[in-house]
Amino acid sequence: MKKLSVTIRLELEIPDEWALHSTSEGTDVLRIGQGQYMDLTFEPMLTKDPEGTWSNSADDEFMNALMDMVVAEDVAYEISTVQ
């Protein structure tokens, strides 16, 4: 078995009303308005042709197997004011 480490860093310009929200378990998520919350995590994209179209249409069996492979995940949110 091999171990794969992936580091993903996103920087987004978000609406002023979006805010951090801590869940009862202490996990940060984003409050995005209209009673909705969003957690950002990786989304596997698949294709049969690496030069062709990619999609997130993995079947449940593959997604469940992939999620079982995840041994650690670290997501940190920071909101700052754009000058």
Side-chain angles (χ1 to χ4, degrees):
M1 183 69 66
K2 300 177 187 177
K3 183 176 278 191
L4 170 67
S5 295
V6 178
T7 301
I8 301 172
R9 177 176 162 77
L10 300 173
E11 189 169 307
L12 295 81
E13 291 184 0
I14 61 173
D16 289 336
E17 62 271 11
W18 284 23
L20 291 179
H21 175 85
S22 290
T23 67
S24 61
E25 296 176 350
T27 303
D28 285 338
V29 295
L30 294 168
R31 185 176 60 240
I32 61 172
Q34 299 180 3
Q36 293 186 326
Y37 298 84
M38 178 173 65
D39 185 18
L40 293 170
T41 188
F42 82 96
E43 178 180 9
M45 300 295 287
L46 305 172
T47 188
K48 292 188 179 204
D49 175 7
E51 304 302 323
T53 302
W54 291 77
S55 77
N56 61 352
S57 59
D59 63 35
D60 287 345
E61 183 178 344
F62 175 82
M63 288 302 298
N64 289 336
L66 186 61
M67 291 298 117
D68 288 344
M69 292 177 198
V70 176
V71 295
E73 181 179 4
D74 182 31
V75 177
Y77 295 99
E78 176 185 330
I79 295 179
S80 59
T81 304
V82 176
Q83 300 294 334

Coordinates of all heavy atoms in Angstrom, one line a residue:
M1 N 0.9 -1.2 0.0 CA 0.0 0.0 0.0 C 0.9 1.2 0.0 O 1.9 1.3 0.7 CB -0.9 0.0 1.2 CG -1.9 1.1 1.3 SD -3.3 1.1 0.1 CE -4.2 -0.4 0.6
K2 N 0.5 2.2 -0.8 CA 1.2 3.5 -0.8 C 0.4 4.6 -0.1 O -0.8 4.4 0.1 CB 1.4 4.0 -2.3 CG 2.2 3.0 -3.1 CD 2.2 3.6 -4.5 CE 2.9 2.6 -5.5 NZ 2.8 3.1 -6.9
K3 N 1.1 5.7 0.3 CA 0.4 6.8 0.9 C 0.5 8.0 -0.1 O 1.6 8.3 -0.5 CB 1.0 7.2 2.2 CG 0.2 8.3 2.9 CD 0.7 8.6 4.3 CE 0.1 7.6 5.2 NZ 0.3 7.9 6.6
L4 N -0.6 8.7 -0.4 CA -0.6 9.9 -1.2 C -1.0 11.0 -0.3 O -2.0 11.0 0.4 CB -1.7 9.7 -2.3 CG -2.1 10.9 -3.1 CD1 -0.9 11.4 -4.0 CD2 -3.3 10.6 -4.0
S5 N -0.2 12.1 -0.4 CA -0.6 13.3 0.3 C -0.9 14.4 -0.7 O -0.2 14.6 -1.7 CB 0.6 13.8 1.2 OG 0.9 12.9 2.2
V6 N -2.0 15.1 -0.5 CA -2.5 16.1 -1.4 C -2.7 17.4 -0.6 O -3.5 17.3 0.4 CB -3.8 15.7 -2.2 CG1 -4.3 16.8 -3.1 CG2 -3.6 14.4 -2.9
T7 N -2.1 18.5 -1.0 CA -2.4 19.8 -0.4 C -3.2 20.6 -1.4 O -2.7 20.9 -2.5 CB -1.1 20.5 0.0 OG1 -0.4 19.6 0.9 CG2 -1.3 21.8 0.7
I8 N -4.3 21.1 -0.9 CA -5.1 22.0 -1.8 C -5.3 23.3 -1.1 O -5.7 23.3 0.1 CB -6.5 21.3 -2.1 CG1 -6.3 20.0 -2.8 CG2 -7.4 22.3 -2.9 CD1 -7.6 19.2 -2.9
R9 N -5.0 24.4 -1.7 CA -5.2 25.7 -1.2 C -6.1 26.5 -2.1 O -5.8 26.6 -3.3 CB -3.9 26.4 -1.0 CG -4.0 27.8 -0.5 CD -2.7 28.5 -0.2 NE -2.8 29.9 -0.1 CZ -3.2 30.6 0.9 NH1 -3.7 29.9 2.0 NH2 -3.3 31.9 0.9
L10 N -7.2 27.0 -1.7 CA -8.1 27.8 -2.5 C -8.2 29.2 -1.9 O -8.1 29.4 -0.7 CB -9.5 27.3 -2.4 CG -9.7 25.8 -2.9 CD1 -11.2 25.4 -2.7 CD2 -9.4 25.8 -4.4
E11 N -8.2 30.2 -2.7 CA -8.5 31.6 -2.3 C -9.6 32.1 -3.1 O -9.6 32.1 -4.4 CB -7.2 32.4 -2.6 CG -7.3 33.8 -2.0 CD -6.0 34.6 -2.0 OE1 -5.0 34.0 -1.5 OE2 -6.0 35.7 -2.5
L12 N -10.7 32.5 -2.4 CA -11.9 32.9 -3.1 C -12.3 34.3 -2.7 O -12.0 34.7 -1.5 CB -13.1 32.0 -2.7 CG -13.1 30.5 -3.2 CD1 -12.2 29.7 -2.2 CD2 -14.5 30.0 -3.2
E13 N -12.9 35.1 -3.5 CA -13.5 36.3 -3.2 C -15.0 36.0 -2.9 O -15.7 35.5 -3.8 CB -13.3 37.4 -4.3 CG -11.9 37.8 -4.4 CD -11.7 39.0 -5.4 OE1 -12.7 39.4 -6.0 OE2 -10.6 39.4 -5.6
I14 N -15.4 36.2 -1.7 CA -16.7 35.8 -1.3 C -17.6 37.0 -0.9 O -17.1 38.1 -0.6 CB -16.7 34.8 -0.1 CG1 -16.0 35.5 1.1 CG2 -15.9 33.6 -0.5 CD1 -16.1 34.7 2.4
P15 N -18.9 36.9 -0.9 CA -19.8 37.9 -0.6 C -19.6 38.3 0.9 O -19.2 37.5 1.7 CB -21.2 37.3 -0.7 CG -21.0 36.2 -1.7 CD -19.7 35.7 -1.4
D16 N -19.8 39.6 1.2 CA -19.6 40.1 2.6 C -20.5 39.4 3.6 O -20.1 39.3 4.8 CB -20.0 41.6 2.7 CG -18.9 42.4 1.9 OD1 -17.8 42.0 1.8 OD2 -19.2 43.6 1.5
E17 N -21.6 38.8 3.2 CA -22.5 38.2 4.2 C -22.1 36.8 4.6 O -22.6 36.2 5.5 CB -24.0 38.2 3.8 CG -24.2 37.4 2.5 CD -24.1 38.3 1.2 OE1 -23.6 39.4 1.3 OE2 -24.5 37.8 0.2
W18 N -21.1 36.2 3.8 CA -20.6 34.9 4.2 C -19.8 35.0 5.5 O -19.1 35.9 5.6 CB -19.8 34.3 3.1 CG -20.6 33.8 1.9 CD1 -21.8 34.1 1.5 CD2 -20.1 32.8 0.9 NE1 -22.2 33.5 0.4 CE2 -21.2 32.6 0.0 CE3 -19.0 32.1 0.8 CZ2 -21.1 31.8 -1.1 CZ3 -18.8 31.2 -0.3 CH2 -19.9 31.1 -1.2
A19 N -19.9 34.0 6.3 CA -19.2 34.0 7.6 C -18.8 32.6 8.0 O -19.4 31.6 7.6 CB -20.0 34.7 8.7
L20 N -17.8 32.5 8.9 CA -17.5 31.3 9.5 C -18.5 30.8 10.6 O -19.1 31.7 11.3 CB -16.1 31.3 10.2 CG -14.9 31.5 9.2 CD1 -13.6 31.6 10.1 CD2 -14.8 30.3 8.3
H21 N -18.7 29.6 10.7 CA -19.7 29.0 11.7 C -19.0 27.8 12.2 O -18.6 26.9 11.5 CB -21.0 28.7 11.0 CG -21.9 28.0 11.9 ND1 -22.8 28.7 12.8 CD2 -22.2 26.7 12.2 CE1 -23.5 27.9 13.5 NE2 -23.2 26.6 13.1
S22 N -19.0 27.7 13.5 CA -18.4 26.5 14.2 C -19.6 25.5 14.5 O -20.6 26.0 15.2 CB -17.6 26.8 15.5 OG -16.4 27.5 15.1
T23 N -19.4 24.3 14.2 CA -20.5 23.3 14.5 C -20.3 22.9 16.0 O -19.4 23.2 16.6 CB -20.3 22.0 13.6 OG1 -19.1 21.4 14.0 CG2 -20.3 22.4 12.1
S24 N -21.3 22.1 16.5 CA -21.2 21.7 17.8 C -20.0 20.8 18.1 O -19.6 20.6 19.3 CB -22.5 20.9 18.2 OG -22.6 19.7 17.4
E25 N -19.4 20.2 17.1 CA -18.2 19.4 17.2 C -16.9 20.2 17.0 O -15.8 19.7 17.1 CB -18.2 18.3 16.1 CG -19.4 17.3 16.3 CD -19.4 16.2 15.2 OE1 -18.7 16.4 14.2 OE2 -20.2 15.3 15.4
G26 N -17.1 21.5 16.9 CA -15.9 22.4 16.7 C -15.4 22.5 15.3 O -14.3 23.1 15.1
T27 N -16.0 22.0 14.4 CA -15.6 22.0 13.0 C -16.1 23.3 12.3 O -17.2 23.7 12.5 CB -16.1 20.8 12.2 OG1 -15.7 19.6 12.8 CG2 -15.6 20.9 10.7
D28 N -15.2 24.0 11.6 CA -15.6 25.3 11.0 C -16.2 24.9 9.6 O -15.7 24.1 8.9 CB -14.4 26.2 10.7 CG -14.0 26.9 12.0 OD1 -14.8 27.0 12.9 OD2 -12.8 27.4 12.1
V29 N -17.3 25.6 9.3 CA -17.9 25.6 8.0 C -18.3 27.0 7.6 O -18.1 27.9 8.4 CB -19.2 24.7 7.9 CG1 -18.8 23.2 8.2 CG2 -20.2 25.2 8.9
L30 N -18.7 27.2 6.4 CA -19.1 28.6 6.0 C -20.6 28.7 6.0 O -21.4 27.9 5.5 CB -18.6 28.8 4.6 CG -17.1 28.9 4.4 CD1 -16.7 28.9 3.0 CD2 -16.6 30.2 5.1
R31 N -21.1 29.8 6.6 CA -22.5 30.2 6.6 C -22.7 31.0 5.3 O -22.1 32.1 5.2 CB -23.0 30.9 7.8 CG -24.5 31.2 7.9 CD -24.9 31.8 9.2 NE -24.2 33.1 9.4 CZ -23.4 33.4 10.4 NH1 -23.2 32.5 11.4 NH2 -22.8 34.6 10.5
I32 N -23.4 30.6 4.3 CA -23.5 31.3 3.0 C -24.8 32.0 2.7 O -25.1 32.4 1.6 CB -23.1 30.3 1.9 CG1 -24.1 29.2 1.8 CG2 -21.7 29.8 2.0 CD1 -23.9 28.3 0.6
G33 N -25.7 32.1 3.8 CA -26.9 32.8 3.6 C -28.1 31.9 3.3 O -27.9 30.7 2.9
Q34 N -29.3 32.4 3.4 CA -30.5 31.7 3.1 C -30.6 30.4 3.8 O -31.1 29.4 3.3 CB -30.7 31.5 1.6 CG -30.8 32.9 0.9 CD -31.0 32.7 -0.6 OE1 -31.1 31.6 -1.1 NE2 -31.0 33.8 -1.3
G35 N -30.0 30.3 5.1 CA -30.1 29.1 5.9 C -29.2 28.0 5.4 O -29.4 26.8 5.8
Q36 N -28.2 28.3 4.5 CA -27.4 27.2 4.0 C -25.9 27.4 4.5 O -25.5 28.5 4.8 CB -27.3 27.3 2.5 CG -28.6 27.0 1.8 CD -28.5 26.9 0.3 OE1 -27.7 27.7 -0.3 NE2 -29.2 26.0 -0.3
Y37 N -25.3 26.2 4.6 CA -23.9 26.1 5.1 C -23.1 25.3 4.0 O -23.7 24.5 3.4 CB -23.8 25.4 6.4 CG -24.5 26.2 7.5 CD1 -25.9 26.1 7.7 CD2 -23.9 27.1 8.3 CE1 -26.6 26.8 8.6 CE2 -24.5 27.9 9.3 CZ -25.9 27.7 9.4 OH -26.6 28.5 10.4
M38 N -21.8 25.6 3.9 CA -21.0 24.9 3.0 C -19.7 24.5 3.6 O -19.1 25.3 4.3 CB -20.7 25.8 1.8 CG -19.8 25.2 0.7 SD -19.6 26.1 -0.8 CE -18.7 27.6 -0.2
D39 N -19.3 23.3 3.3 CA -18.0 22.8 3.7 C -17.2 22.5 2.5 O -17.7 21.8 1.6 CB -18.1 21.5 4.6 CG -16.8 21.0 5.2 OD1 -15.8 21.8 5.2 OD2 -16.7 19.9 5.6
L40 N -16.0 23.0 2.4 CA -15.2 22.7 1.2 C -14.3 21.6 1.4 O -13.6 21.5 2.5 CB -14.4 24.0 0.8 CG -15.2 25.2 0.3 CD1 -14.3 26.4 0.3 CD2 -15.8 24.9 -1.0
T41 N -14.2 20.6 0.5 CA -13.4 19.5 0.6 C -13.0 19.1 -0.8 O -13.5 19.7 -1.7 CB -14.0 18.3 1.4 OG1 -13.1 17.3 1.7 CG2 -15.3 17.8 0.8
F42 N -12.3 18.1 -1.0 CA -11.9 17.7 -2.3 C -13.1 17.0 -3.0 O -13.9 16.4 -2.4 CB -10.7 16.8 -2.3 CG -11.0 15.3 -2.0 CD1 -11.1 14.4 -3.1 CD2 -11.1 14.8 -0.7 CE1 -11.4 13.1 -2.8 CE2 -11.4 13.5 -0.5 CZ -11.5 12.6 -1.6
E43 N -13.1 17.2 -4.3 CA -14.2 16.5 -5.2 C -13.4 15.8 -6.3 O -12.8 16.4 -7.2 CB -15.1 17.5 -5.7 CG -16.2 16.9 -6.6 CD -17.1 18.0 -7.2 OE1 -16.9 19.2 -7.1 OE2 -18.1 17.6 -7.8
P44 N -13.5 14.5 -6.3 CA -12.8 13.7 -7.3 C -13.4 14.0 -8.7 O -14.6 14.0 -8.8 CB -13.0 12.3 -6.9 CG -13.4 12.3 -5.5 CD -14.1 13.6 -5.3
M45 N -12.6 14.2 -9.7 CA -13.0 14.4 -11.0 C -12.4 13.2 -11.8 O -11.3 12.9 -11.7 CB -12.5 15.7 -11.6 CG -12.9 17.0 -10.8 SD -14.7 17.2 -10.9 CE -14.9 17.8 -12.6
L46 N -13.2 12.6 -12.7 CA -12.9 11.4 -13.4 C -13.0 11.6 -14.9 O -13.8 12.4 -15.4 CB -13.7 10.3 -13.0 CG -13.8 9.9 -11.5 CD1 -14.8 8.9 -11.2 CD2 -12.4 9.5 -11.0
T47 N -12.2 10.9 -15.7 CA -12.3 10.9 -17.1 C -11.7 9.6 -17.7 O -10.9 8.9 -16.9 CB -11.6 12.1 -17.8 OG1 -11.9 12.1 -19.2 CG2 -10.1 12.1 -17.5
K48 N -12.0 9.2 -18.9 CA -11.3 8.1 -19.5 C -10.3 8.7 -20.5 O -9.5 7.9 -21.0 CB -12.4 7.2 -20.3 CG -13.3 6.5 -19.3 CD -14.1 5.5 -20.0 CE -14.9 4.8 -18.9 NZ -15.4 3.5 -19.3
D49 N -10.3 10.0 -20.7 CA -9.4 10.7 -21.6 C -8.8 11.9 -20.9 O -9.5 12.9 -20.7 CB -10.1 11.1 -22.9 CG -9.2 11.9 -23.9 OD1 -8.0 12.0 -23.6 OD2 -9.7 12.4 -24.9
P50 N -7.6 11.9 -20.5 CA -7.0 13.0 -19.7 C -7.0 14.3 -20.5 O -6.8 15.3 -19.9 CB -5.6 12.5 -19.3 CG -5.3 11.4 -20.2 CD -6.6 10.8 -20.6
E51 N -7.2 14.2 -21.8 CA -7.2 15.4 -22.6 C -8.7 15.8 -22.9 O -8.9 16.8 -23.6 CB -6.4 15.2 -23.9 CG -5.0 14.8 -23.8 CD -4.2 15.8 -22.9 OE1 -4.4 17.0 -23.0 OE2 -3.3 15.3 -22.1
G52 N -9.6 15.0 -22.4 CA -11.0 15.3 -22.8 C -11.8 15.9 -21.6 O -11.2 16.7 -20.8
T53 N -13.0 15.6 -21.5 CA -13.9 16.2 -20.5 C -13.8 15.4 -19.2 O -13.8 14.2 -19.2 CB -15.4 16.1 -21.0 OG1 -15.4 16.9 -22.3 CG2 -16.3 16.8 -20.0
W54 N -13.7 16.2 -18.1 CA -13.7 15.6 -16.8 C -15.1 15.8 -16.1 O -15.7 16.8 -16.4 CB -12.6 16.3 -15.9 CG -11.2 16.0 -16.4 CD1 -10.6 16.5 -17.5 CD2 -10.3 15.1 -15.8 NE1 -9.3 16.0 -17.6 CE2 -9.1 15.1 -16.5 CE3 -10.4 14.2 -14.7 CZ2 -8.0 14.4 -16.2 CZ3 -9.3 13.5 -14.4 CH2 -8.1 13.5 -15.1
S55 N -15.5 14.9 -15.3 CA -16.8 15.0 -14.5 C -16.6 14.5 -13.1 O -15.7 13.8 -12.8 CB -17.9 14.3 -15.3 OG -17.8 13.0 -15.1
N56 N -17.6 14.8 -12.3 CA -17.6 14.3 -10.9 C -18.7 13.2 -10.8 O -19.3 13.1 -9.8 CB -17.9 15.5 -10.0 CG -19.2 16.2 -10.2 OD1 -19.9 15.9 -11.2 ND2 -19.6 17.1 -9.3
S57 N -18.9 12.5 -11.8 CA -19.9 11.5 -11.9 C -19.5 10.1 -11.4 O -19.9 9.1 -12.0 CB -20.5 11.4 -13.3 OG -19.5 11.0 -14.2
A58 N -18.7 10.0 -10.4 CA -18.3 8.7 -9.8 C -19.5 8.0 -9.2 O -20.3 8.6 -8.6 CB -17.2 8.9 -8.8
D59 N -19.5 6.7 -9.4 CA -20.6 5.9 -8.8 C -20.4 5.8 -7.3 O -19.3 6.0 -6.7 CB -20.7 4.6 -9.4 CG -19.5 3.6 -9.3 OD1 -18.9 3.7 -8.2 OD2 -19.3 2.9 -10.2
D60 N -21.4 5.5 -6.6 CA -21.4 5.4 -5.1 C -20.3 4.4 -4.6 O -19.7 4.6 -3.6 CB -22.8 5.0 -4.5 CG -23.7 6.2 -4.6 OD1 -23.3 7.3 -4.9 OD2 -25.0 5.9 -4.5
E61 N -20.2 3.3 -5.3 CA -19.2 2.3 -4.8 C -17.8 2.8 -4.9 O -17.1 2.6 -3.9 CB -19.3 1.0 -5.7 CG -18.4 -0.1 -5.3 CD -18.6 -1.3 -6.2 OE1 -19.6 -1.4 -6.9 OE2 -17.7 -2.2 -6.1
F62 N -17.5 3.5 -5.9 CA -16.1 4.1 -6.0 C -16.0 5.2 -5.0 O -14.9 5.3 -4.3 CB -15.9 4.7 -7.4 CG -14.6 5.5 -7.5 CD1 -13.4 4.8 -7.8 CD2 -14.5 6.8 -7.4 CE1 -12.2 5.4 -7.9 CE2 -13.3 7.5 -7.5 CZ -12.2 6.8 -7.7
M63 N -17.0 6.1 -4.8 CA -16.9 7.2 -3.8 C -16.7 6.6 -2.4 O -15.9 7.1 -1.6 CB -18.1 8.1 -3.9 CG -18.1 9.0 -5.2 SD -16.6 10.0 -5.3 CE -16.8 11.0 -3.8
N64 N -17.5 5.6 -2.1 CA -17.4 5.0 -0.8 C -16.0 4.4 -0.5 O -15.4 4.5 0.5 CB -18.5 3.9 -0.6 CG -19.8 4.5 -0.4 OD1 -20.0 5.7 0.0 ND2 -20.9 3.8 -0.8
A65 N -15.5 3.7 -1.5 CA -14.1 3.1 -1.4 C -13.1 4.2 -1.3 O -12.2 4.1 -0.4 CB -13.8 2.3 -2.6
L66 N -13.2 5.3 -2.0 CA -12.3 6.4 -1.9 C -12.4 7.1 -0.6 O -11.3 7.4 0.1 CB -12.6 7.4 -3.0 CG -11.6 8.6 -3.2 CD1 -10.2 8.1 -3.5 CD2 -12.1 9.6 -4.2
M67 N -13.5 7.3 0.0 CA -13.7 7.9 1.3 C -13.1 7.0 2.4 O -12.5 7.5 3.3 CB -15.2 8.1 1.6 CG -15.8 9.2 0.8 SD -15.1 10.8 1.0 CE -14.5 11.1 -0.6
D68 N -13.2 5.7 2.2 CA -12.6 4.8 3.1 C -11.0 4.8 3.1 O -10.4 4.5 4.1 CB -13.0 3.3 2.9 CG -14.4 3.0 3.2 OD1 -15.0 3.9 4.0 OD2 -15.0 2.0 2.8
M69 N -10.5 5.3 2.0 CA -9.0 5.5 1.9 C -8.5 6.7 2.7 O -7.3 6.8 3.0 CB -8.6 5.6 0.4 CG -8.8 4.4 -0.4 SD -8.3 4.7 -2.1 CE -9.1 3.4 -2.9
V70 N -9.3 7.7 2.9 CA -8.9 8.9 3.6 C -8.6 8.6 5.1 O -9.5 8.2 5.8 CB -10.0 10.0 3.5 CG1 -9.5 11.2 4.2 CG2 -10.2 10.3 2.0
V71 N -7.4 8.8 5.5 CA -7.0 8.6 6.9 C -6.9 9.9 7.7 O -6.8 9.9 8.9 CB -5.7 7.8 7.0 CG1 -5.9 6.4 6.4 CG2 -4.5 8.5 6.3
A72 N -6.8 11.0 7.0 CA -6.7 12.3 7.7 C -7.1 13.4 6.7 O -6.9 13.3 5.5 CB -5.2 12.6 8.1
E73 N -7.7 14.4 7.2 CA -8.1 15.6 6.4 C -8.0 16.8 7.3 O -8.3 16.8 8.5 CB -9.6 15.4 6.0 CG -10.1 16.6 5.1 CD -11.5 16.4 4.6 OE1 -12.1 15.4 5.0 OE2 -12.0 17.2 3.9
D74 N -7.5 17.9 6.8 CA -7.3 19.1 7.5 C -7.8 20.3 6.6 O -7.3 20.5 5.6 CB -5.8 19.3 7.9 CG -5.6 20.6 8.7 OD1 -6.5 20.9 9.5 OD2 -4.5 21.2 8.5
V75 N -8.8 20.9 7.1 CA -9.4 22.1 6.4 C -9.3 23.3 7.4 O -9.8 23.2 8.5 CB -10.8 21.8 5.9 CG1 -11.4 23.1 5.3 CG2 -10.9 20.6 5.0
A76 N -8.8 24.4 6.9 CA -8.7 25.6 7.8 C -9.3 26.7 7.0 O -9.0 26.9 5.8 CB -7.2 25.9 8.2
Y77 N -10.2 27.5 7.6 CA -10.8 28.6 7.0 C -10.3 29.9 7.6 O -10.1 29.9 8.8 CB -12.3 28.6 7.1 CG -13.0 27.5 6.4 CD1 -13.4 26.3 7.1 CD2 -13.3 27.5 5.1 CE1 -14.0 25.3 6.5 CE2 -13.9 26.5 4.4 CZ -14.3 25.4 5.2 OH -14.9 24.3 4.5
E78 N -10.1 30.9 6.8 CA -9.7 32.2 7.3 C -10.4 33.3 6.4 O -10.2 33.2 5.2 CB -8.2 32.4 7.3 CG -7.7 33.8 7.7 CD -6.2 34.0 7.5 OE1 -5.5 33.0 7.6 OE2 -5.8 35.2 7.2
I79 N -11.1 34.2 7.0 CA -11.8 35.2 6.3 C -11.1 36.5 6.6 O -10.9 36.9 7.8 CB -13.3 35.3 6.6 CG1 -14.0 34.0 6.1 CG2 -13.9 36.6 5.9 CD1 -15.5 34.0 6.4
S80 N -10.7 37.3 5.5 CA -10.0 38.6 5.7 C -10.7 39.6 4.8 O -11.3 39.2 3.8 CB -8.5 38.5 5.5 OG -8.3 38.1 4.1
T81 N -10.6 40.8 5.1 CA -11.2 41.9 4.4 C -10.2 42.2 3.2 O -9.0 42.4 3.4 CB -11.4 43.1 5.2 OG1 -12.2 42.8 6.3 CG2 -12.1 44.2 4.4
V82 N -10.8 42.3 2.0 CA -10.0 42.7 0.8 C -9.9 44.2 0.8 O -10.9 44.9 1.0 CB -10.7 42.2 -0.5 CG1 -10.0 42.7 -1.7 CG2 -10.9 40.7 -0.5
Q83 N -8.7 44.7 0.7 CA -8.4 46.1 0.6 C -8.5 46.7 -0.7 O -8.1 46.2 -1.7 CB -7.0 46.4 1.2 CG -6.9 46.0 2.7 CD -7.8 46.8 3.6 OE1 -8.2 47.9 3.4 NE2 -8.2 46.1 4.7

